[in-house]
Amino acid sequence: MTAFVLRKLGSTAIVMMVVAVIVFIMIRVGPGDPAAVIAGEHAHTEDLERIRRSLGLDEPLVFQFYHWVLRLLGGDLGQSLFSRKPVLELIAGRLEPTLSLAATTMTFAVCTAVPLGIVAAWQVGRWLDRVIMALAVAAFSFPIFIIGYGLVWAFALKLRWLPVQGFRPLSQGPALYLNHLVLPSLTLGLVFMALLTRMTRSTMIDVLGEDYIRTARSKGLGQLPVLFKHALKNAAIPIVTTIGSGIALLIGGVVVVESVFAIPGIGRLTIEAVTQRDYPVIQGVLLLASLAYVVINLLVDLSYGLFDPRIRSLS
């Protein structure tokens, strides 16, 4: 098991190095000039060159990359070109809204999708299965921003049950905190819930057709023990893999949802940085998002051993 973990950590480090190179090159070769944004529309050529020198943007790309990697190895993501604040400080200040939104979204999606997928597989071909699949297809068919605006219109503007937008930190009270997260979490979670429901259903249908399930039923085992003790445990690996892969969907969706609901999280920080061509902030956000995605998939890989003893013995 230790060798398996070390191999995974080694591959994670290689992936992060490749991501760092791609992020640096992608941002540098893209259109736009941060010096021009800082200097304004009426700046002279001398002003632009002076700003580029002060930011180190006049150096060859190789030297810029070398200095960036050196700072990165020391845990320094650099400073924002505009606010002059450390990138880590800017990201840390936006972390609570984004983590709160991600946690409530995942909780909602997993807690609804897995039971719905199990029920659909159990009732496969019947009206309940068709209703659940129709709802899943509908949720997956609409873009996130349309779902968001629809929920705002219904629950905030018409019924006035929930706030239209904004975020309240947990320190202001759990009720106010959760109240502001309901609509954003539903908006982001419906798409992921639909995907996970379909995956759970198809995996459970395959498992429920296995010989050992028929044997368990022939021995008189009840429906619930068959579904949850035998079938769900053996269907867990594809479901957990889908949950891990869904993190990428979640990261992309957070940017849209935070914009729709005016949540001051990392998604909005990314949009502001892209608009201003703030290289250090864009690089920092992309690197940390990639790191989060890689670490979560590493944990998913390690969890396989919990569900299947054969993987544990092979590793």
Side-chain angles (χ1 to χ4, degrees):
M1 191 68 181
T2 305
F4 176 73
V5 173
L6 290 176
R7 278 201 305 274
K8 287 293 179 184
L9 288 175
S11 61
T12 300
I14 293 171
V15 168
M16 287 311 301
M17 283 191 283
V18 173
V19 168
V21 173
I22 292 174
V23 165
F24 182 85
I25 294 174
M26 187 175 65
I27 292 175
R28 290 305 194 282
V29 301
D33 184 357
V37 178
I38 294 172
E41 296 180 0
H42 305 293
H44 298 290
T45 307
E46 294 79 14
D47 296 328
L48 294 177
E49 290 177 354
R50 179 176 51 76
I51 293 172
R52 287 195 190 102
R53 274 198 305 277
S54 67
L55 298 176
L57 298 176
D58 60 332
E59 295 180 346
L61 281 182
V62 176
F63 287 106
Q64 290 185 42
F65 181 72
Y66 173 72
H67 292 142
W68 179 60
V69 169
L70 278 184
R71 288 197 301 271
L72 209 58
L73 292 175
D76 180 11
L77 293 177
Q79 285 190 336
S80 165
L81 300 181
F82 293 87
S83 67
R84 308 306 295 175
K85 290 182 179 176
V87 173
L88 273 178
E89 183 182 324
L90 288 174
I91 293 175
R94 305 289 189 102
L95 211 52
E96 185 186 356
T98 300
L99 287 183
S100 301
L101 178 58
T104 50
T105 298
M106 288 298 288
T107 304
F108 161 70
V110 173
C111 290
T112 53
V114 174
L116 284 176
I118 293 173
V119 171
W122 176 38
Q123 297 289 313
V124 63
R126 299 177 183 173
W127 68 269
L128 190 54
D129 172 39
R130 293 195 180 96
V131 168
I132 292 173
M133 285 301 98
L135 292 175
V137 170
F140 203 70
S141 302
F142 287 98
I144 288 178
F145 69 92
I146 290 183
I147 295 175
Y149 287 128
L151 291 175
V152 167
W153 179 82
F155 294 100
L157 298 180
K158 290 295 177 184
L159 298 174
R160 298 182 182 279
W161 289 352
L162 297 164
V164 176
Q165 54 183 204
F167 174 78
R168 294 291 182 273
L170 187 57
S171 58
Q172 292 185 10
L176 198 60
Y177 168 77
L178 291 174
N179 213 27
H180 282 78
L181 283 172
V182 172
L183 289 184
S185 302
L186 281 176
T187 302
L188 191 54
L190 280 174
V191 176
F192 187 42
M193 184 200 74
L195 175 69
L196 193 56
T197 300
R198 292 172 65 86
M199 172 57 71
T200 304
R201 175 185 178 272
S202 63
T203 309
M204 286 290 290
I205 288 174
D206 290 341
V207 172
L208 288 173
E210 295 287 341
D211 291 339
Y212 62 88
I213 296 293
R214 280 193 287 271
T215 304
R217 282 176 171 157
S218 67
K219 288 181 177 178
L221 210 61
Q223 196 62 247
L224 288 180
V226 168
L227 286 174
F228 289 96
K229 187 177 177 182
H230 294 280
L232 183 58
K233 185 178 179 182
N234 288 284
I237 290 181
I239 296 172
V240 171
T241 304
T242 306
I243 293 173
S245 304
I247 300 298
L249 186 71
L250 206 63
I251 291 172
V254 158
V255 176
V256 179
V257 171
E258 287 186 356
S259 300
V260 171
F261 290 95
I263 297 174
I266 293 176
R268 290 194 67 189
L269 176 67
T270 307
I271 292 176
E272 292 165 8
V274 169
T275 306
Q276 297 175 326
R277 301 288 299 167
D278 198 341
Y279 291 159
V281 176
I282 300 172
Q283 289 170 167
V285 170
L286 289 179
L287 268 183
L288 291 182
S290 304
L291 179 64
Y293 182 71
V294 170
V295 168
I296 287 170
N297 277 280
L298 173 65
L299 294 176
V300 169
D301 286 348
L302 295 177
S303 72
Y304 290 165
L306 298 175
F307 301 113
D308 192 339
R310 293 170 298 179
I311 298 177
R312 195 163 54 237
S313 60
L314 284 174
S315 62

